Amino acid sequence: MISYDKSLNYFSLYYRSNHLIMPDLISKREIGYIPFSGTMIRHLSFRNHREIESFVKRNTPRHLYYSSAYYVKPDEKRMEKKIWEGAELIFDLDADHIPGSDKMTYEEILLEVKKHVLRLLNYLINDFGFDDDSIKLYFSGGRGYHVHVVSDRVYSLDSDARREIGNYIKMEDFTIDNIIKASRERPESGPVKRFNEYISEIYSNENYLKRFYNGDFGSYYKSLDVYKDGKKKIDIMRENNYEKFKIVSKRDLDVLNNILNDFKDKYSAEIDEPVTTDIHRLIRFPGSLHGKTGLAVTPVNINELDDFDPLSSAVPEVFKDKYEHVYLNSDYVITMMNEKFSLNAGENKVPLYLALFLTGMKIGNFIEKK
């Protein structure tokens, strides 16, 4: 048996058989790629989709990228000479920023990241007011998703403005002091309103509230049985209005900080902020293959995200009816194309899409039968 890598041949087959999904104004985008041998090659430019598809057929990429920015001269090597005209607002969500992901399986990671994508979409639609047509969602082909906002409202934003948006979504500046200040404006939407409602829910359940007080809870709960402005304090804390922020004590603040940490865990979206702030960012090309998984960068309808399964929907058709032999160093279990594979260490004959995944992820190697 000889260990070797057939991925280049199969990736080449894919690009000969499939069309890329073209971003708008492709002639204004910088194109970059990582070949199967060598490092990133960038500052490329193509006039139309025929040119770029012809290029990838001749130069099979392991990874293919395009710029979120629009340029007058995208093929100039110095950024200042490209002449920046604007950029999409990009969000990258993957396992790197999710606590505990190092202990998750690949499938668990995909499910966990999806939760954060749904939170992000909630912010973009309900807090920032972008409609579905302004948001493009893609499975990255790897361990997460990319969200692109394509709107005149964002193209001209500089890095600082994009950082403010990222901080809002990650709740970086969402502290009790800032919440109390913001509550004076009695916001009718947004995270302050949601947090206010969250507090009310917790104070409405004594057993639940107990989780958030470190100390003699009986004593603390008794302190809520006093009158403030004609009402019992506990009743004020349970109401969905902003009066509660006017009467908080030091002990209440300790509780609210614990509730806030829990709230952030449930509602903040873990985005890769440097991607969002970078107005020159290269992002994965829709319809291209991810070099580590063999899965395609796949568009996802926002309304269908809940049911979207990357390990079925992002598997290229051209890889489905072929098989390969791979050698695994250890046992591995994964479900792809709705079929559970429980593989043992050693030689395995598996569908090509799984072989490309296993070899790309360094879980196994192709082997050639003599």
Side-chain angles (χ1 to χ4, degrees):
M1 293 189 302
I2 302 173
S3 174
Y4 67 124
D5 188 357
K6 281 187 173 180
S7 299
L8 172 59
N9 296 335
Y10 288 126
F11 274 47
S12 179
L13 172 65
Y14 172 84
Y15 285 111
R16 293 197 306 270
S17 309
N18 291 269
H19 292 294
L20 296 169
I21 301 168
M22 289 296 145
D24 65 351
L25 301 175
I26 192 63
S27 64
K28 289 181 173 288
R29 311 275 194 166
E30 177 191 348
I31 306 299
Y33 76 103
I34 299 177
F36 273 78
S37 178
T39 56
M40 171 74 87
I41 297 169
R42 57 182 301 179
H43 307 300
L44 303 176
S45 174
F46 300 92
R47 288 176 296 180
N48 52 52
H49 71 277
R50 289 182 296 276
E51 281 193 1
I52 189 169
E53 291 207 325
S54 176
F55 178 84
V56 298
K57 287 181 172 71
R58 298 192 314 271
N59 304 272
T60 305
R62 184 179 284 276
H63 303 274
L64 181 65
Y65 306 92
Y66 75 104
S67 66
S68 61
Y70 306 94
Y71 301 105
V72 175
K73 299 177 180 179
D75 54 350
E76 286 284 351
K77 290 182 171 53
R78 294 175 60 182
M79 283 297 173
E80 63 270 21
K81 289 191 174 183
K82 289 181 184 290
I83 310 176
W84 186 86
E85 293 188 315
E88 299 170 358
L89 179 63
I90 301 289
F91 300 93
D92 180 14
L93 301 95
D94 65 26
D96 291 343
H97 303 278
I98 294 178
S101 63
D102 56 327
K103 297 179 177 63
M104 297 179 187
T105 66
Y106 183 75
E107 293 166 89
E108 289 170 341
I109 284 170
L110 292 178
L111 290 172
E112 188 63 28
V113 173
K114 185 186 285 189
K115 295 176 186 176
H116 289 262
V117 177
L118 289 166
R119 296 174 192 175
L120 170 63
L121 293 174
N122 179 58
Y123 282 118
L124 294 178
I125 295 169
N126 295 319
D127 289 16
F128 290 97
F130 294 109
D131 58 34
D132 290 2
D133 292 338
S134 299
I135 302 171
K136 296 186 182 299
L137 171 64
Y138 300 95
F139 169 60
S140 71
R143 301 193 302 171
Y145 294 81
H146 296 154
V147 177
H148 302 228
V149 179
V150 287
S151 166
D152 290 338
R153 291 170 56 194
V154 304
Y155 294 142
S156 63
L157 295 178
D158 62 15
S159 293
D160 289 339
R162 292 165 193 254
R163 184 173 293 106
E164 285 187 29
I165 293 172
N167 287 344
Y168 182 94
I169 289 164
K170 293 182 70 175
M171 298 188 184
E172 293 285 0
D173 301 319
F174 204 57
T175 65
I176 292 298
D177 284 345
N178 288 339
I179 291 167
I180 290 174
K181 292 174 184 175
S183 72
R184 296 168 188 160
E185 302 299 323
R186 300 178 180 273
E188 296 182 0
S189 62
V192 174
K193 180 178 185 294
R194 287 193 288 272
F195 181 60
N196 179 50
E197 293 168 350
Y198 196 63
I199 294 169
S200 298
E201 291 175 15
I202 289 171
Y203 273 85
S204 295
N205 186 320
E206 181 180 344
N207 290 327
Y208 198 26
L209 177 62
K210 191 181 297 184
R211 292 174 44 204
F212 297 95
Y213 187 75
N214 303 319
D216 182 355
F217 179 74
S219 172
Y220 174 65
Y221 200 73
K222 187 176 181 180
S223 73
L224 300 173
D225 194 31
V226 296
Y227 283 87
K228 296 281 186 179
D229 299 326
K231 290 183 180 179
K232 282 190 175 182
K233 186 172 183 179
I234 185 64
D235 293 330
I236 296 173
M237 299 302 286
R238 289 171 174 171
E239 291 177 352
N240 281 335
N241 58 49
Y242 294 102
E243 298 306 311
K244 60 175 66 69
F245 293 111
K246 296 179 180 179
I247 61 169
V248 292
S249 66
K250 173 65 171 62
R251 296 170 86 183
D252 297 325
L253 287 175
D254 292 339
V255 176
L256 293 185
N257 273 305
N258 289 334
I259 294 174
L260 179 59
N261 290 333
D262 187 67
F263 181 80
K264 287 182 176 181
D265 286 342
K266 288 183 171 68
Y267 293 101
S268 66
E270 286 299 329
I271 61 172
D272 186 349
E273 195 167 18
V275 173
T276 298
T277 60
D278 187 354
I279 61 173
H280 303 289
R281 193 74 181 189
L282 294 184
I283 199 79
R284 289 190 181 277
F285 208 110
S288 67
L289 294 180
H290 193 291
K292 292 183 178 180
T293 66
L295 298 172
V297 180
T298 305
V300 183
N301 187 308
I302 291 174
N303 298 320
E304 297 172 358
L305 177 59
D306 277 326
D307 298 323
F308 178 76
D309 177 13
L311 294 176
S312 294
S313 298
V315 173
E317 197 69 32
V318 72
F319 297 157
K320 290 181 181 178
D321 297 323
K322 299 176 177 62
Y323 289 82
E324 269 291 354
H325 292 268
V326 294
Y327 185 89
L328 304 186
N329 294 320
S330 59
D331 297 348
Y332 191 74
V333 178
I334 191 169
T335 298
M336 296 186 76
M337 293 302 300
N338 299 313
E339 180 179 355
K340 184 175 182 179
F341 296 91
S342 298
L343 306 175
N344 297 320
E347 183 178 338
N348 294 266
K349 183 181 179 181
V350 298
L352 175 57
Y353 57 80
L354 178 53
L356 288 166
F357 177 87
L358 294 168
T359 55
M361 296 286 281
K362 308 300 183 187
I363 297 165
N365 297 292
F366 284 108
I367 56 177
E368 184 173 22
K369 304 282 286 185
K370 286 285 187 175

